[in-house]
């Protein structure tokens, strides 16, 4: 099916007389007539369900749709995008291992890798998102087990050179993991450019209505774990915590990664997405292909308006001609990037504070990427504990505004921005 049709009908095909909508299986557990039947599930010899912490039919239907959208072979849902990134990395990294990551990633993920996972004995080398092939190769070590980046970084809006990062990762025998939250598979499918694992914060565009927190992991099914068995003993040697199964042998390239992530990490850590949230996520997915186009139309219109306004110092939007990342956006995101625009005001932090107070249409929220336009000045909210120097070093100077364009009328959105900018000029 075309990706538009997958959004609407992928993942779940009802049989004769079955519910047309994905059913919500709101149950913690599942009944069996015989212990032997359940035993086959625990031995991974049969498909089925026994406890929702590991798997649930509602979640699996929605995960299957996301796998179809990305062109992957297997997928799973998690309780949040943060959980998805942690599971994707921790599934193949352990104490003593090393990660290479782009430095231009969401702050929460940066902290996860740089602080929390470091406490677990997993080291990281952060590289400039614009690193050359030589600079990327220099970051690898003998114990490197994964490369990580975001297709469009939040909030820096840099565009990852997926093909280059994949080339370097594979040259060193490790997979590339890409967070594809902002473009969604409607605008970019990283597997087509060499990525091996894709993650999502489904809380954003996929959900679309700001009602359900969630995450997803998708496997391309192409990375050959057994060819690098010495690097990935968790996948290529017996798992004594699960009957000695060797995931890469039993489930092959197509299913090993997600099966291990489910039977081991989800079993022990339990960051499952609720069936109710999975149902809400699917409602969002059914209109994703329509909404993403609208988000991008509004994003580009706002970026063009801002780039010509006297009160604006600079605009970051990769689909805007002249943007630093425009060439990469044309390559990886020809249909559009996303609805998030960042810009700086000439009046600095003071102007930014006036702008935020003057907004009437756009809501001040920490959230991004749902149907409603929302806005944030990081210096006065999420990063308010930092000095001006620290803000500049973090890439969020005092004058920076992050605007997530919703799917409202473009003229109404621009009118609200215009009146707020007028207040800045009259300060």
């Amino acid at each position: 099916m075309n990706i538009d049709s997958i959004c609407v009908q992928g993942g779940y095909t009802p049989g004769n007389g079955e519910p047309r909508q994905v059913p919500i299986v709101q149950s913690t557990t599942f009944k069996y007539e015989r212990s032997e039947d359940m035993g086959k599930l625990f031995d991974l010899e049969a498909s089925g369900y026994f406890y929702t912490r590991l798997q649930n039919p509602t979640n699996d239907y929605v995960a299957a749709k996301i796998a179809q959208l990305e062109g992957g072979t297997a997928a799973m849902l998690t309780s949040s995008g943060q959980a998805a990134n942690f599971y994707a990395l921790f599934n193949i990294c352990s104490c003593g291992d090393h990660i290479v990551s782009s430095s231009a990633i969401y702050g929460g993920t940066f902290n996860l890798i740089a602080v929390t996972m470091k406490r677990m004995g997993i080291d990281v080398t952060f590289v400039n998102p614009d690193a050359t092939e030589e600079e990327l190769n220099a970051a690898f070590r003998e114990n490197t087990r994964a490369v990580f980046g975001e297709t469009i970084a939040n909030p820096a809006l840099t565009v990852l050179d997926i093909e280059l990062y994949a080339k370097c990762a594979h040259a060193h025998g490790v997979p590339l993991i890409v967070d594809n939250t902002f473009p969604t598979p409607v605008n970019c499918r990283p597997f087509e450019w060499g990525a091996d694992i894709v993650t999502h914060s489904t809380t954003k565009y996929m959900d679309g209505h700001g009602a359900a927190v969630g995450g997803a992991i998708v496997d391309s099914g192409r990375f050959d774990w057994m060819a690098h068995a010495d690097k990935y003993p968790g996948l290529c040697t017996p798992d004594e915590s699960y009957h000695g199964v060797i995931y890469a042998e039993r489930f092959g390239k197509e299913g090993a990664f997600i099966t291990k992530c489910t039977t081991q990490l989800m079993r022990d850590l339990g960051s499952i997405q609720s069936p109710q949230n999975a149902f809400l996520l699917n409602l969002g997915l059914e209109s994703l292909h329509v909404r993403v186009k609208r988000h991008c139309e509004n994003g580009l219109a706002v970026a063009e308006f801002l780039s010509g306004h006297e009160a604006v110092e600079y605009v970051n939007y990769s689909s805007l001609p002249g943007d630093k990342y425009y060439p990469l956006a044309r390559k990886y995101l020809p249909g559009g990037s996303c609805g998030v625009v960042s810009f700086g005001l000439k009046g600095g932090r003071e102007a930014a504070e006036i702008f935020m107070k003057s907004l009437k249409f756009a809501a001040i929220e920490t959230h991004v990427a749902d149907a409603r336009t929302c806005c944030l000045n990081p210096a006065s909210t999420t990063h308010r504990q930092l000095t001006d120097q620290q803000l500049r070093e973090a890439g969020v100077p005092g004058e920076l505004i992050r605007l997530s364009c919703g799917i409202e009328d473009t003229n109404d959105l621009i009118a609200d921005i215009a009146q707020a900018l007028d207040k800045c000029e009259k300060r």
Side-chain angles (χ1 to χ4, degrees):
M1 290 188 287
N2 182 281
I3 198 164
D4 292 7
S5 298
I6 296 172
C7 284
V8 181
Q9 297 205 26
Y12 171 67
T13 304
N16 189 41
E18 293 182 344
R20 185 63 193 89
Q21 182 54 274
V22 170
I24 306 173
V25 183
Q26 195 68 44
S27 180
T28 59
T29 191
F30 301 82
K31 175 183 175 292
Y32 286 88
E33 297 294 336
R34 302 182 307 161
S35 294
E36 291 85 351
D37 295 334
M38 187 178 287
K40 290 179 181 178
L41 302 179
F42 278 93
D43 289 340
L44 302 178
E45 292 177 355
S47 297
Y49 304 92
F50 51 85
Y51 197 59
T52 284
R53 188 179 78 239
L54 276 84
Q55 285 182 288
N56 175 282
T58 307
N59 292 29
D60 282 357
Y61 290 137
V62 181
K65 175 179 284 190
I66 295 173
Q68 278 185 271
L69 287 170
E70 285 288 6
T73 59
M76 64 187 291
L77 300 185
T78 61
S79 59
S80 67
Q82 191 78 325
N85 283 330
F86 173 60
Y87 277 24
L89 289 164
F90 197 56
N91 202 35
I92 52 176
C93 297
S94 58
C95 184
D97 289 339
H98 173 254
I99 297 165
V100 173
S101 174
S102 167
S103 60
I105 56 176
Y106 169 60
T109 309
F110 188 99
N111 192 74
L112 166 69
I113 299 172
V115 179
T116 302
M117 294 186 75
K118 195 159 189 174
R119 286 203 211 106
M120 302 166 75
I122 300 169
D123 204 2
V124 61
T125 297
F126 287 106
V127 295
N128 189 300
D130 308 325
T132 64
E133 185 173 346
E134 292 72 24
E135 289 169 335
L136 279 173
N137 284 324
F140 286 82
R141 303 175 187 172
E142 283 295 318
N143 60 339
T144 301
R145 297 294 178 263
V147 178
F148 181 83
E150 296 178 0
T151 313
I152 301 175
N154 175 18
L157 301 183
T158 58
V159 178
L160 190 73
D161 192 341
I162 303 171
E163 205 166 31
L164 175 61
Y165 272 68
K167 177 183 178 182
C168 293
H170 297 159
H172 293 271
V174 303
L176 171 62
I177 302 173
V178 174
D179 185 327
N180 197 36
T181 296
F182 269 14
T184 82
V186 172
N187 280 347
C188 183
R189 301 198 338 158
F191 294 155
E192 296 175 357
W193 300 100
D196 301 289
I197 308 293
V198 159
T199 61
H200 284 276
S201 170
T202 61
T203 316
K204 309 301 190 299
Y205 288 120
M206 283 189 166
D207 174 87
H209 29 58
V213 173
I217 307 171
V218 187
D219 185 7
S220 69
R222 291 202 294 258
F223 192 83
D224 192 344
W225 305 106
M226 290 302 289
H228 308 283
D230 59 319
K231 295 178 184 288
Y232 304 104
L235 284 160
C236 302
T237 60
D239 179 1
E240 299 305 334
S241 75
Y242 215 98
H243 315 297
V245 64
I246 301 175
Y247 297 102
E249 285 186 356
R250 176 79 70 86
F251 302 101
K253 292 187 293 184
E254 296 79 12
F257 186 89
I258 294 297
T259 303
K260 176 181 179 293
C261 209
T262 301
T263 59
Q264 194 181 85
L265 298 190
M266 194 63 81
R267 174 198 66 193
D268 295 345
L269 300 174
S271 299
I272 191 71
Q273 188 169 146
S274 75
Q276 179 69 52
N277 277 14
F279 174 83
L280 293 173
L281 167 57
N282 188 63
L283 291 182
L285 289 171
E286 288 178 351
S287 63
L288 182 66
H289 59 297
V290 180
R291 289 185 292 104
V292 164
K293 291 175 184 176
R294 180 66 174 172
H295 283 292
C296 291
E297 289 171 2
N298 276 350
L300 182 58
V302 165
E304 290 172 341
F305 170 77
L306 289 169
S307 65
H309 200 286
E310 291 185 357
V312 177
E313 182 74 32
Y314 58 84
V315 179
N316 297 323
Y317 190 70
S318 62
S319 293
L320 186 68
D323 186 89
K324 177 181 179 180
Y325 293 97
Y326 185 73
L328 283 178
R330 293 290 295 167
K331 176 179 179 178
Y332 296 117
L333 307 155
S337 54
C338 64
V340 181
V341 182
S342 67
F343 58 98
L345 296 176
K346 290 180 180 178
R349 185 195 287 258
E350 181 186 354
E353 290 176 355
I354 293 171
F355 177 85
M356 297 298 293
K357 290 177 182 177
S358 304
L359 289 172
K360 300 176 181 178
F361 192 73
I364 298 175
E365 300 177 20
T366 57
H367 197 224
V368 288
D370 70 24
R372 294 162 291 272
T373 295
C374 51
C375 194
L376 195 73
N377 171 227
S380 61
T381 54
T382 56
H383 293 65
R384 65 181 297 116
Q385 75 279 11
L386 303 184
T387 65
D388 286 347
Q389 178 61 30
Q390 289 172 326
L391 286 168
R392 285 191 291 272
E393 291 173 353
V396 285
E399 76 276 4
L400 183 76
I401 303 291
R402 184 187 70 183
L403 182 70
S404 176
C405 301
I407 57 174
E408 305 95 342
D409 180 82
T410 309
N411 293 324
D412 289 340
L413 179 53
I414 290 177
D416 189 36
I417 296 168
Q419 64 85 23
L421 289 174
D422 287 343
K423 300 285 198 319
C424 296
E425 290 186 306
K426 294 174 182 177
R427 73 188 190 281

